[in-house]
Amino acid sequence: MAASKRKRGGEGPADKKGKFVVDEGEAQVETEKATRNEVLVPAPVSMGKWTNKERVLIFSSRGINFRTRHLMQDLRTMMPHSKADTKMDRKDKLFVVNEVCEIKNCNKCLFFEAKKKQDLYMWISSCPHGPSAKFLVQNIHTLAELKMTGNCLKGSRPLLSFDPKFDKEPHYALLKELFIQTFSTPRYHPKSQPFVDHVYTFSIADSRIWFRNYQIIEEDASLVEIGPRFVLNLIKIFQGSFGGPTLYENPNFRSPNLHRRELRLAAAAKVREKQMVKELQKIKRKEAKEDIDEDVTADVFVTPNEEKPVHIQTEPPAPKVVKKNKHKAFKRQRMQRGRR
C-alpha cells in the first residue's frame, strides 16, 4: 500500500524496512526473544507524480464486424489510459460523441464508424474543441490473426516513431501532434508500467499512414513485430471536434463506393467486349459461307428447262374402262385338265 500511495501521490519514505523472521527452532518461535534479521527493500522505480491526465475513449457505432471489434480490444490493451463505452446508435449525430467524452471524463477520442457493413472509418478527435481527423481504415490485421513472435509487457509505455515526412507538410505535422497526444501513455499513469519495451511506428507511403507495433529486443536493439497493423487513408481534417470548418481535404482520396463502381463498370466492359467479339465471329462465319455458296463454275452444267404450254382442262375426263378378268383355275386343276 505504501508503494502504491507513493506512486500516485509522490510522497513517502525513500526506503522501507522489512523484517524477516529466521526460525531456528520451535522453542525460539514461541519465545519473544527470537532472533530476527532486518533487510532494506529498495524504493520503487517511479517516484514522480501523475500530472498528464490524458484519457482516450475508444468505442464504435453499430454495424461493425468481428475484425473491427478485435482491433478495438487490441488498442484498449495497448493503451492503459483508454476507456470503453457501449456502441453508439447510427441515428445519433456525431456531435453526441463530445457529450459522451465529457461524461466519461475523456479529452481524446477514437471513434470507429461502420458503413454498409464493409467500410470502416476512424475519427481521431481532441474533445470538445478539436481539431479532428477522419480516416478510412484499410488492411486490418489483429493480434489474434497475425500470431507474431513479438511480445511486450502489458501497460508499458511505448516509443513513438514518425516518418520524416510528418515534419515537411503542415497537415502531417497536425496529425503527428494528434497521434502523440492520443497514443502516448502518460508518465506515472496508475495503470502503466515504468518500462519501455515496444515502439509504435507511423510511416507514410502511397499517401497513406501505415501503423505498426514492434518489440524492442534488449540484446541487439532489433525489432520484432507484435501487432496489430492497419493503414489509415486520410479524408479530411476539421477544425472542430467531429465537424466544423475543413482545414485540409485529401485530393487523392477516392471513396470505396466509387472504387467498387469502377470495378463493376470494368467487369461489365469486359463482358460487353466478349459479346462483341462473338458477334463479329458469327458475321465472319456467315460471310465465309456465302462466299462458298456462290460458285462461278456451278452454272456450266445448268441446262435451261423447256417451257411447256399451259393446258387448261375445261371438260371432265372420260371414265376409265375396267376389264373384268375371268376366273383362272388353280394350277392343280390345270394339270388335271392337261392329263385328260
Side-chain angles (χ1 to χ4, degrees), residues 283-330:
I283 293 172
K284 288 181 179 180
R285 288 171 185 171
K286 287 182 180 179
E287 291 178 354
K289 287 182 179 179
E290 290 177 358
D291 294 341
I292 293 171
D293 293 340
E294 294 178 359
D295 191 4
V296 181
T297 60
D299 298 336
V300 176
F301 304 100
V302 176
T303 56
N305 296 328
E306 295 180 359
E307 295 182 359
K308 295 182 180 179
V310 180
H311 176 69
I312 298 174
Q313 188 175 0
T314 56
E315 296 179 359
K320 293 181 179 181
V321 179
V322 180
K323 295 181 179 180
K324 292 183 180 180
N325 296 328
K326 294 181 178 180
H327 178 69
K328 292 182 179 180
F330 292 105

mmCIF file of all heavy atoms in Angstrom, residues 283-330:
data_model
loop_
_atom_site.group_PDB
_atom_site.id
_atom_site.type_symbol
_atom_site.label_atom_id
_atom_site.label_comp_id
_atom_site.label_asym_id
_atom_site.label_seq_id
_atom_site.Cartn_x
_atom_site.Cartn_y
_atom_site.Cartn_z
ATOM 1 N N ILE A 283 -20.570 -13.038 -87.714
ATOM 2 C CA ILE A 283 -20.701 -12.348 -89.006
ATOM 3 C C ILE A 283 -19.652 -12.845 -89.996
ATOM 4 O O ILE A 283 -19.936 -13.067 -91.186
ATOM 5 C CB ILE A 283 -20.580 -10.827 -88.781
ATOM 6 C CG1 ILE A 283 -21.789 -10.319 -87.963
ATOM 7 C CG2 ILE A 283 -20.491 -10.094 -90.109
ATOM 8 C CD1 ILE A 283 -21.674 -8.890 -87.527
ATOM 9 N N LYS A 284 -18.420 -13.033 -89.515
ATOM 10 C CA LYS A 284 -17.368 -13.535 -90.397
ATOM 11 C C LYS A 284 -17.681 -14.942 -90.910
ATOM 12 O O LYS A 284 -17.428 -15.265 -92.079
ATOM 13 C CB LYS A 284 -16.032 -13.543 -89.658
ATOM 14 C CG LYS A 284 -15.466 -12.154 -89.433
ATOM 15 C CD LYS A 284 -14.126 -12.229 -88.710
ATOM 16 C CE LYS A 284 -13.540 -10.839 -88.498
ATOM 17 N NZ LYS A 284 -12.239 -10.873 -87.792
ATOM 18 N N ARG A 285 -18.254 -15.789 -90.035
ATOM 19 C CA ARG A 285 -18.614 -17.139 -90.465
ATOM 20 C C ARG A 285 -19.695 -17.110 -91.539
ATOM 21 O O ARG A 285 -19.639 -17.853 -92.534
ATOM 22 C CB ARG A 285 -19.084 -17.961 -89.271
ATOM 23 C CG ARG A 285 -17.959 -18.348 -88.311
ATOM 24 C CD ARG A 285 -18.535 -18.971 -87.060
ATOM 25 N NE ARG A 285 -17.492 -19.236 -86.082
ATOM 26 C CZ ARG A 285 -17.735 -19.613 -84.821
ATOM 27 N NH1 ARG A 285 -18.996 -19.786 -84.423
ATOM 28 N NH2 ARG A 285 -16.726 -19.835 -84.002
ATOM 29 N N LYS A 286 -20.705 -16.222 -91.406
ATOM 30 C CA LYS A 286 -21.767 -16.117 -92.402
ATOM 31 C C LYS A 286 -21.208 -15.648 -93.741
ATOM 32 O O LYS A 286 -21.577 -16.162 -94.810
ATOM 33 C CB LYS A 286 -22.835 -15.151 -91.913
ATOM 34 C CG LYS A 286 -23.697 -15.706 -90.798
ATOM 35 C CD LYS A 286 -24.766 -14.707 -90.385
ATOM 36 C CE LYS A 286 -25.633 -15.268 -89.268
ATOM 37 N NZ LYS A 286 -26.666 -14.270 -88.839
ATOM 38 N N GLU A 287 -20.312 -14.660 -93.703
ATOM 39 C CA GLU A 287 -19.721 -14.173 -94.951
ATOM 40 C C GLU A 287 -18.913 -15.266 -95.630
ATOM 41 O O GLU A 287 -18.937 -15.406 -96.866
ATOM 42 C CB GLU A 287 -18.827 -12.966 -94.656
ATOM 43 C CG GLU A 287 -19.621 -11.733 -94.226
ATOM 44 C CD GLU A 287 -18.700 -10.573 -93.893
ATOM 45 O OE1 GLU A 287 -17.464 -10.792 -93.893
ATOM 46 O OE2 GLU A 287 -19.214 -9.474 -93.630
ATOM 47 N N ALA A 288 -18.206 -16.065 -94.838
ATOM 48 C CA ALA A 288 -17.434 -17.162 -95.439
ATOM 49 C C ALA A 288 -18.354 -18.189 -96.089
ATOM 50 O O ALA A 288 -18.074 -18.704 -97.172
ATOM 51 C CB ALA A 288 -16.564 -17.816 -94.374
ATOM 52 N N LYS A 289 -19.497 -18.486 -95.447
ATOM 53 C CA LYS A 289 -20.448 -19.435 -96.032
ATOM 54 C C LYS A 289 -21.031 -18.897 -97.336
ATOM 55 O O LYS A 289 -21.190 -19.620 -98.316
ATOM 56 C CB LYS A 289 -21.563 -19.744 -95.048
ATOM 57 C CG LYS A 289 -21.125 -20.636 -93.897
ATOM 58 C CD LYS A 289 -22.300 -20.926 -92.990
ATOM 59 C CE LYS A 289 -21.875 -21.856 -91.840
ATOM 60 N NZ LYS A 289 -23.007 -22.144 -90.923
ATOM 61 N N GLU A 290 -21.372 -17.612 -97.389
ATOM 62 C CA GLU A 290 -21.934 -17.023 -98.604
ATOM 63 C C GLU A 290 -20.921 -17.081 -99.755
ATOM 64 O O GLU A 290 -21.270 -17.335 -100.902
ATOM 65 C CB GLU A 290 -22.359 -15.590 -98.329
ATOM 66 C CG GLU A 290 -23.574 -15.505 -97.416
ATOM 67 C CD GLU A 290 -23.922 -14.062 -97.096
ATOM 68 O OE1 GLU A 290 -23.170 -13.161 -97.562
ATOM 69 O OE2 GLU A 290 -24.914 -13.835 -96.393
ATOM 70 N N ASP A 291 -19.663 -16.843 -99.455
ATOM 71 C CA ASP A 291 -18.638 -16.916 -100.491
ATOM 72 C C ASP A 291 -18.519 -18.328 -101.052
ATOM 73 O O ASP A 291 -18.305 -18.535 -102.252
ATOM 74 C CB ASP A 291 -17.290 -16.464 -99.920
ATOM 75 C CG ASP A 291 -17.312 -14.984 -99.558
ATOM 76 O OD1 ASP A 291 -18.199 -14.273 -100.074
ATOM 77 O OD2 ASP A 291 -16.470 -14.556 -98.737
ATOM 78 N N ILE A 292 -18.653 -19.322 -100.228
ATOM 79 C CA ILE A 292 -18.559 -20.715 -100.684
ATOM 80 C C ILE A 292 -19.782 -21.094 -101.517
ATOM 81 O O ILE A 292 -19.683 -21.783 -102.532
ATOM 82 C CB ILE A 292 -18.407 -21.659 -99.482
ATOM 83 C CG1 ILE A 292 -17.040 -21.418 -98.810
ATOM 84 C CG2 ILE A 292 -18.529 -23.117 -99.903
ATOM 85 C CD1 ILE A 292 -16.867 -22.141 -97.489
ATOM 86 N N ASP A 293 -20.996 -20.643 -101.165
ATOM 87 C CA ASP A 293 -22.212 -20.983 -101.894
ATOM 88 C C ASP A 293 -22.212 -20.377 -103.297
ATOM 89 O O ASP A 293 -22.698 -20.978 -104.256
ATOM 90 C CB ASP A 293 -23.433 -20.514 -101.113
ATOM 91 C CG ASP A 293 -23.598 -21.299 -99.818
ATOM 92 O OD1 ASP A 293 -23.017 -22.406 -99.734
ATOM 93 O OD2 ASP A 293 -24.276 -20.800 -98.895
ATOM 94 N N GLU A 294 -21.676 -19.212 -103.483
ATOM 95 C CA GLU A 294 -21.673 -18.560 -104.787
ATOM 96 C C GLU A 294 -20.466 -19.050 -105.599
ATOM 97 O O GLU A 294 -19.419 -18.389 -105.666
ATOM 98 C CB GLU A 294 -21.633 -17.039 -104.611
ATOM 99 C CG GLU A 294 -22.887 -16.485 -103.959
ATOM 100 C CD GLU A 294 -22.797 -14.987 -103.743
ATOM 101 O OE1 GLU A 294 -21.738 -14.407 -104.097
ATOM 102 O OE2 GLU A 294 -23.756 -14.394 -103.232
ATOM 103 N N ASP A 295 -20.626 -20.236 -106.249
ATOM 104 C CA ASP A 295 -19.561 -20.812 -107.072
ATOM 105 C C ASP A 295 -19.782 -20.402 -108.530
ATOM 106 O O ASP A 295 -20.872 -20.574 -109.089
ATOM 107 C CB ASP A 295 -19.575 -22.330 -106.929
ATOM 108 C CG ASP A 295 -18.329 -22.951 -107.552
ATOM 109 O OD1 ASP A 295 -17.461 -22.178 -108.005
ATOM 110 O OD2 ASP A 295 -18.243 -24.190 -107.562
ATOM 111 N N VAL A 296 -18.756 -19.876 -109.171
ATOM 112 C CA VAL A 296 -18.881 -19.376 -110.537
ATOM 113 C C VAL A 296 -19.034 -20.533 -111.539
ATOM 114 O O VAL A 296 -19.784 -20.452 -112.517
ATOM 115 C CB VAL A 296 -17.654 -18.510 -110.902
ATOM 116 C CG1 VAL A 296 -17.773 -17.963 -112.327
ATOM 117 C CG2 VAL A 296 -17.510 -17.383 -109.906
ATOM 118 N N THR A 297 -18.339 -21.617 -111.306
ATOM 119 C CA THR A 297 -18.359 -22.745 -112.242
ATOM 120 C C THR A 297 -19.602 -23.614 -112.123
ATOM 121 O O THR A 297 -19.764 -24.575 -112.877
ATOM 122 C CB THR A 297 -17.131 -23.622 -111.998
ATOM 123 O OG1 THR A 297 -17.155 -24.103 -110.645
ATOM 124 C CG2 THR A 297 -15.852 -22.819 -112.211
ATOM 125 N N ALA A 298 -20.444 -23.316 -111.140
ATOM 126 C CA ALA A 298 -21.632 -24.154 -110.960
ATOM 127 C C ALA A 298 -22.642 -23.944 -112.074
ATOM 128 O O ALA A 298 -23.475 -24.809 -112.352
ATOM 129 C CB ALA A 298 -22.272 -23.854 -109.602
ATOM 130 N N ASP A 299 -22.620 -22.808 -112.810
ATOM 131 C CA ASP A 299 -23.593 -22.526 -113.874
ATOM 132 C C ASP A 299 -23.266 -23.239 -115.186
ATOM 133 O O ASP A 299 -24.055 -23.192 -116.131
ATOM 134 C CB ASP A 299 -23.663 -21.011 -114.111
ATOM 135 C CG ASP A 299 -24.135 -20.284 -112.865
ATOM 136 O OD1 ASP A 299 -24.815 -20.938 -112.054
ATOM 137 O OD2 ASP A 299 -23.848 -19.072 -112.713
ATOM 138 N N VAL A 300 -22.092 -23.864 -115.289
ATOM 139 C CA VAL A 300 -21.702 -24.517 -116.546
ATOM 140 C C VAL A 300 -22.612 -25.711 -116.847
ATOM 141 O O VAL A 300 -23.022 -25.948 -117.998
ATOM 142 C CB VAL A 300 -20.232 -24.965 -116.468
ATOM 143 C CG1 VAL A 300 -19.832 -25.731 -117.730
ATOM 144 C CG2 VAL A 300 -19.339 -23.757 -116.273
ATOM 145 N N PHE A 301 -22.946 -26.486 -115.874
ATOM 146 C CA PHE A 301 -23.737 -27.701 -116.057
ATOM 147 C C PHE A 301 -25.235 -27.475 -115.918
ATOM 148 O O PHE A 301 -26.008 -28.410 -115.910
ATOM 149 C CB PHE A 301 -23.289 -28.764 -115.042
ATOM 150 C CG PHE A 301 -21.821 -29.068 -115.128
ATOM 151 C CD1 PHE A 301 -20.936 -28.503 -114.231
ATOM 152 C CD2 PHE A 301 -21.342 -29.916 -116.112
ATOM 153 C CE1 PHE A 301 -19.592 -28.787 -114.307
ATOM 154 C CE2 PHE A 301 -19.991 -30.192 -116.193
ATOM 155 C CZ PHE A 301 -19.095 -29.625 -115.298
ATOM 156 N N VAL A 302 -25.628 -26.260 -115.758
ATOM 157 C CA VAL A 302 -27.046 -25.965 -115.619
ATOM 158 C C VAL A 302 -27.652 -25.793 -117.010
ATOM 159 O O VAL A 302 -27.185 -24.973 -117.821
ATOM 160 C CB VAL A 302 -27.248 -24.691 -114.765
ATOM 161 C CG1 VAL A 302 -28.740 -24.323 -114.714
ATOM 162 C CG2 VAL A 302 -26.715 -24.912 -113.362
ATOM 163 N N THR A 303 -28.718 -26.629 -117.403
ATOM 164 C CA THR A 303 -29.428 -26.516 -118.688
ATOM 165 C C THR A 303 -30.767 -25.870 -118.452
ATOM 166 O O THR A 303 -31.457 -26.194 -117.461
ATOM 167 C CB THR A 303 -29.612 -27.908 -119.301
ATOM 168 O OG1 THR A 303 -30.293 -28.735 -118.355
ATOM 169 C CG2 THR A 303 -28.261 -28.537 -119.638
ATOM 170 N N PRO A 304 -31.170 -25.030 -119.384
ATOM 171 C CA PRO A 304 -32.466 -24.355 -119.178
ATOM 172 C C PRO A 304 -33.627 -25.341 -119.341
ATOM 173 O O PRO A 304 -33.593 -26.241 -120.186
ATOM 174 C CB PRO A 304 -32.481 -23.286 -120.270
ATOM 175 C CG PRO A 304 -31.543 -23.775 -121.314
ATOM 176 C CD PRO A 304 -30.486 -24.560 -120.590
ATOM 177 N N ASN A 305 -34.625 -25.208 -118.594
ATOM 178 C CA ASN A 305 -35.815 -26.065 -118.660
ATOM 179 C C ASN A 305 -36.672 -25.668 -119.868
ATOM 180 O O ASN A 305 -36.794 -24.482 -120.209
ATOM 181 C CB ASN A 305 -36.629 -25.940 -117.380
ATOM 182 C CG ASN A 305 -35.869 -26.456 -116.162
ATOM 183 O OD1 ASN A 305 -35.065 -27.391 -116.294
ATOM 184 N ND2 ASN A 305 -36.127 -25.868 -115.008
ATOM 185 N N GLU A 306 -37.277 -26.732 -120.544
ATOM 186 C CA GLU A 306 -38.166 -26.467 -121.670
ATOM 187 C C GLU A 306 -39.491 -25.952 -121.145
ATOM 188 O O GLU A 306 -40.096 -26.533 -120.257
ATOM 189 C CB GLU A 306 -38.395 -27.747 -122.473
ATOM 190 C CG GLU A 306 -37.128 -28.261 -123.128
ATOM 191 C CD GLU A 306 -37.407 -29.534 -123.906
ATOM 192 O OE1 GLU A 306 -38.579 -29.990 -123.889
ATOM 193 O OE2 GLU A 306 -36.461 -30.069 -124.489
ATOM 194 N N GLU A 307 -39.891 -24.877 -121.770
ATOM 195 C CA GLU A 307 -41.140 -24.270 -121.333
ATOM 196 C C GLU A 307 -42.306 -24.998 -122.003
ATOM 197 O O GLU A 307 -42.395 -25.049 -123.233
ATOM 198 C CB GLU A 307 -41.159 -22.796 -121.702
ATOM 199 C CG GLU A 307 -40.090 -21.981 -120.952
ATOM 200 C CD GLU A 307 -40.158 -20.503 -121.312
ATOM 201 O OE1 GLU A 307 -41.026 -20.156 -122.147
ATOM 202 O OE2 GLU A 307 -39.359 -19.735 -120.760
ATOM 203 N N LYS A 308 -43.148 -25.592 -121.255
ATOM 204 C CA LYS A 308 -44.327 -26.297 -121.764
ATOM 205 C C LYS A 308 -45.519 -25.359 -121.721
ATOM 206 O O LYS A 308 -45.677 -24.599 -120.758
ATOM 207 C CB LYS A 308 -44.613 -27.536 -120.917
ATOM 208 C CG LYS A 308 -43.499 -28.582 -121.011
ATOM 209 C CD LYS A 308 -43.870 -29.789 -120.191
ATOM 210 C CE LYS A 308 -42.771 -30.856 -120.281
ATOM 211 N NZ LYS A 308 -43.111 -32.055 -119.466
ATOM 212 N N PRO A 309 -46.398 -25.490 -122.789
ATOM 213 C CA PRO A 309 -47.577 -24.614 -122.770
ATOM 214 C C PRO A 309 -48.539 -25.022 -121.668
ATOM 215 O O PRO A 309 -48.677 -26.196 -121.342
ATOM 216 C CB PRO A 309 -48.209 -24.828 -124.156
ATOM 217 C CG PRO A 309 -47.721 -26.168 -124.577
ATOM 218 C CD PRO A 309 -46.352 -26.311 -124.020
ATOM 219 N N VAL A 310 -49.153 -24.058 -121.170
ATOM 220 C CA VAL A 310 -50.086 -24.296 -120.075
ATOM 221 C C VAL A 310 -51.419 -24.757 -120.675
ATOM 222 O O VAL A 310 -52.014 -24.055 -121.502
ATOM 223 C CB VAL A 310 -50.268 -23.024 -119.232
ATOM 224 C CG1 VAL A 310 -51.241 -23.278 -118.093
ATOM 225 C CG2 VAL A 310 -48.931 -22.535 -118.695
ATOM 226 N N HIS A 311 -51.870 -25.965 -120.292
ATOM 227 C CA HIS A 311 -53.132 -26.527 -120.796
ATOM 228 C C HIS A 311 -54.164 -26.489 -119.685
ATOM 229 O O HIS A 311 -53.972 -27.052 -118.610
ATOM 230 C CB HIS A 311 -52.916 -27.968 -121.272
ATOM 231 C CG HIS A 311 -54.175 -28.633 -121.720
ATOM 232 N ND1 HIS A 311 -54.859 -28.262 -122.880
ATOM 233 C CD2 HIS A 311 -54.903 -29.653 -121.176
ATOM 234 C CE1 HIS A 311 -55.917 -29.002 -123.018
ATOM 235 N NE2 HIS A 311 -55.981 -29.870 -121.987
ATOM 236 N N ILE A 312 -55.254 -25.828 -120.040
ATOM 237 C CA ILE A 312 -56.335 -25.693 -119.054
ATOM 238 C C ILE A 312 -57.447 -26.626 -119.498
ATOM 239 O O ILE A 312 -57.988 -26.509 -120.605
ATOM 240 C CB ILE A 312 -56.838 -24.248 -118.989
ATOM 241 C CG1 ILE A 312 -55.695 -23.327 -118.543
ATOM 242 C CG2 ILE A 312 -58.013 -24.152 -118.027
ATOM 243 C CD1 ILE A 312 -56.057 -21.864 -118.585
ATOM 244 N N GLN A 313 -57.812 -27.571 -118.673
ATOM 245 C CA GLN A 313 -58.840 -28.564 -118.984
ATOM 246 C C GLN A 313 -60.193 -28.003 -118.580
ATOM 247 O O GLN A 313 -60.441 -27.659 -117.430
ATOM 248 C CB GLN A 313 -58.553 -29.863 -118.223
ATOM 249 C CG GLN A 313 -59.440 -31.002 -118.630
ATOM 250 C CD GLN A 313 -59.040 -32.300 -117.940
ATOM 251 O OE1 GLN A 313 -58.097 -32.300 -117.161
ATOM 252 N NE2 GLN A 313 -59.724 -33.379 -118.241
ATOM 253 N N THR A 314 -61.095 -27.910 -119.595
ATOM 254 C CA THR A 314 -62.435 -27.347 -119.354
ATOM 255 C C THR A 314 -63.509 -28.422 -119.202
ATOM 256 O O THR A 314 -64.557 -28.181 -118.625
ATOM 257 C CB THR A 314 -62.829 -26.420 -120.519
ATOM 258 O OG1 THR A 314 -62.753 -27.165 -121.729
ATOM 259 C CG2 THR A 314 -61.872 -25.212 -120.572
ATOM 260 N N GLU A 315 -63.242 -29.652 -119.784
ATOM 261 C CA GLU A 315 -64.221 -30.725 -119.708
ATOM 262 C C GLU A 315 -63.718 -31.792 -118.754
ATOM 263 O O GLU A 315 -62.511 -32.013 -118.640
ATOM 264 C CB GLU A 315 -64.452 -31.334 -121.088
ATOM 265 C CG GLU A 315 -65.060 -30.343 -122.070
ATOM 266 C CD GLU A 315 -65.253 -30.970 -123.432
ATOM 267 O OE1 GLU A 315 -64.873 -32.169 -123.548
ATOM 268 O OE2 GLU A 315 -65.752 -30.309 -124.321
ATOM 269 N N PRO A 316 -64.632 -32.517 -118.102
ATOM 270 C CA PRO A 316 -64.194 -33.576 -117.195
ATOM 271 C C PRO A 316 -63.592 -34.731 -117.975
ATOM 272 O O PRO A 316 -63.965 -34.995 -119.110
ATOM 273 C CB PRO A 316 -65.478 -34.004 -116.491
ATOM 274 C CG PRO A 316 -66.557 -33.607 -117.425
ATOM 275 C CD PRO A 316 -66.101 -32.358 -118.118
ATOM 276 N N PRO A 317 -62.676 -35.460 -117.453
ATOM 277 C CA PRO A 317 -62.037 -36.562 -118.172
ATOM 278 C C PRO A 317 -63.000 -37.746 -118.363
ATOM 279 O O PRO A 317 -63.939 -37.913 -117.582
ATOM 280 C CB PRO A 317 -60.867 -36.941 -117.262
ATOM 281 C CG PRO A 317 -61.268 -36.487 -115.907
ATOM 282 C CD PRO A 317 -62.095 -35.260 -116.115
ATOM 283 N N ALA A 318 -62.727 -38.537 -119.419
ATOM 284 C CA ALA A 318 -63.590 -39.698 -119.724
ATOM 285 C C ALA A 318 -63.371 -40.769 -118.685
ATOM 286 O O ALA A 318 -62.246 -40.956 -118.202
ATOM 287 C CB ALA A 318 -63.256 -40.223 -121.099
ATOM 288 N N PRO A 319 -64.434 -41.521 -118.368
ATOM 289 C CA PRO A 319 -64.252 -42.574 -117.360
ATOM 290 C C PRO A 319 -63.402 -43.717 -117.904
ATOM 291 O O PRO A 319 -63.456 -44.048 -119.071
ATOM 292 C CB PRO A 319 -65.681 -43.026 -117.072
ATOM 293 C CG PRO A 319 -66.453 -42.639 -118.285
ATOM 294 C CD PRO A 319 -65.832 -41.401 -118.830
ATOM 295 N N LYS A 320 -62.646 -44.309 -117.081
ATOM 296 C CA LYS A 320 -61.765 -45.395 -117.473
ATOM 297 C C LYS A 320 -62.556 -46.700 -117.550
ATOM 298 O O LYS A 320 -63.388 -46.950 -116.692
ATOM 299 C CB LYS A 320 -60.618 -45.542 -116.466
ATOM 300 C CG LYS A 320 -59.677 -44.364 -116.482
ATOM 301 C CD LYS A 320 -58.555 -44.588 -115.494
ATOM 302 C CE LYS A 320 -57.572 -43.435 -115.498
ATOM 303 N NZ LYS A 320 -56.455 -43.648 -114.552
ATOM 304 N N VAL A 321 -62.242 -47.538 -118.587
ATOM 305 C CA VAL A 321 -62.913 -48.839 -118.768
ATOM 306 C C VAL A 321 -62.122 -49.877 -118.012
ATOM 307 O O VAL A 321 -60.913 -50.068 -118.260
ATOM 308 C CB VAL A 321 -62.999 -49.224 -120.256
ATOM 309 C CG1 VAL A 321 -63.665 -50.576 -120.422
ATOM 310 C CG2 VAL A 321 -63.743 -48.142 -121.037
ATOM 311 N N VAL A 322 -62.799 -50.578 -117.112
ATOM 312 C CA VAL A 322 -62.139 -51.590 -116.299
ATOM 313 C C VAL A 322 -62.461 -52.948 -116.906
ATOM 314 O O VAL A 322 -63.634 -53.315 -117.043
ATOM 315 C CB VAL A 322 -62.614 -51.536 -114.843
ATOM 316 C CG1 VAL A 322 -61.910 -52.604 -114.014
ATOM 317 C CG2 VAL A 322 -62.388 -50.156 -114.248
ATOM 318 N N LYS A 323 -61.434 -53.672 -117.313
ATOM 319 C CA LYS A 323 -61.612 -55.010 -117.868
ATOM 320 C C LYS A 323 -61.771 -56.000 -116.741
ATOM 321 O O LYS A 323 -61.012 -56.009 -115.803
ATOM 322 C CB LYS A 323 -60.419 -55.407 -118.736
ATOM 323 C CG LYS A 323 -60.266 -54.543 -119.978
ATOM 324 C CD LYS A 323 -59.077 -55.016 -120.783
ATOM 325 C CE LYS A 323 -58.925 -54.174 -122.046
ATOM 326 N NZ LYS A 323 -57.759 -54.609 -122.854
ATOM 327 N N LYS A 324 -62.819 -56.892 -116.939
ATOM 328 C CA LYS A 324 -63.069 -57.900 -115.922
ATOM 329 C C LYS A 324 -62.295 -59.163 -116.293
ATOM 330 O O LYS A 324 -62.481 -59.711 -117.352
ATOM 331 C CB LYS A 324 -64.560 -58.222 -115.845
ATOM 332 C CG LYS A 324 -65.371 -57.067 -115.320
ATOM 333 C CD LYS A 324 -66.845 -57.467 -115.205
ATOM 334 C CE LYS A 324 -67.685 -56.333 -114.677
ATOM 335 N NZ LYS A 324 -69.115 -56.706 -114.557
ATOM 336 N N ASN A 325 -61.434 -59.602 -115.409
ATOM 337 C CA ASN A 325 -60.648 -60.814 -115.654
ATOM 338 C C ASN A 325 -61.488 -62.067 -115.344
ATOM 339 O O ASN A 325 -62.204 -62.084 -114.346
ATOM 340 C CB ASN A 325 -59.383 -60.802 -114.781
ATOM 341 C CG ASN A 325 -58.470 -59.638 -115.175
ATOM 342 O OD1 ASN A 325 -58.436 -59.264 -116.354
ATOM 343 N ND2 ASN A 325 -57.739 -59.127 -114.210
ATOM 344 N N LYS A 326 -61.386 -63.084 -116.243
ATOM 345 C CA LYS A 326 -62.078 -64.348 -115.997
ATOM 346 C C LYS A 326 -61.408 -65.078 -114.870
ATOM 347 O O LYS A 326 -60.237 -64.876 -114.601
ATOM 348 C CB LYS A 326 -62.070 -65.217 -117.259
ATOM 349 C CG LYS A 326 -62.875 -64.607 -118.391
ATOM 350 C CD LYS A 326 -62.850 -65.536 -119.595
ATOM 351 C CE LYS A 326 -63.697 -64.979 -120.726
ATOM 352 N NZ LYS A 326 -63.691 -65.872 -121.916
ATOM 353 N N HIS A 327 -62.212 -65.983 -114.295
ATOM 354 C CA HIS A 327 -61.681 -66.752 -113.182
ATOM 355 C C HIS A 327 -60.642 -67.745 -113.661
ATOM 356 O O HIS A 327 -60.902 -68.527 -114.561
ATOM 357 C CB HIS A 327 -62.819 -67.505 -112.495
ATOM 358 C CG HIS A 327 -62.315 -68.362 -111.357
ATOM 359 N ND1 HIS A 327 -61.811 -67.833 -110.194
ATOM 360 C CD2 HIS A 327 -62.232 -69.727 -111.251
ATOM 361 C CE1 HIS A 327 -61.442 -68.819 -109.405
ATOM 362 N NE2 HIS A 327 -61.683 -70.002 -110.018
ATOM 363 N N LYS A 328 -59.450 -67.605 -113.130
ATOM 364 C CA LYS A 328 -58.380 -68.505 -113.510
ATOM 365 C C LYS A 328 -58.403 -69.708 -112.578
ATOM 366 O O LYS A 328 -58.548 -69.531 -111.374
ATOM 367 C CB LYS A 328 -57.043 -67.801 -113.432
ATOM 368 C CG LYS A 328 -56.898 -66.700 -114.489
ATOM 369 C CD LYS A 328 -55.518 -66.073 -114.372
ATOM 370 C CE LYS A 328 -55.339 -64.988 -115.432
ATOM 371 N NZ LYS A 328 -54.022 -64.368 -115.357
ATOM 372 N N ALA A 329 -58.232 -70.923 -113.187
ATOM 373 C CA ALA A 329 -58.230 -72.152 -112.384
ATOM 374 C C ALA A 329 -56.906 -72.269 -111.672
ATOM 375 O O ALA A 329 -55.890 -71.681 -112.083
ATOM 376 C CB ALA A 329 -58.460 -73.362 -113.261
ATOM 377 N N PHE A 330 -56.956 -73.049 -110.644
ATOM 378 C CA PHE A 330 -55.719 -73.263 -109.904
ATOM 379 C C PHE A 330 -54.757 -74.126 -110.704
ATOM 380 O O PHE A 330 -55.122 -74.745 -111.708
ATOM 381 C CB PHE A 330 -56.040 -73.939 -108.555
ATOM 382 C CG PHE A 330 -56.791 -73.009 -107.643
ATOM 383 C CD1 PHE A 330 -58.153 -73.200 -107.455
ATOM 384 C CD2 PHE A 330 -56.138 -71.964 -106.984
ATOM 385 C CE1 PHE A 330 -58.835 -72.363 -106.600
ATOM 386 C CE2 PHE A 330 -56.849 -71.155 -106.143
ATOM 387 C CZ PHE A 330 -58.184 -71.335 -105.950
#
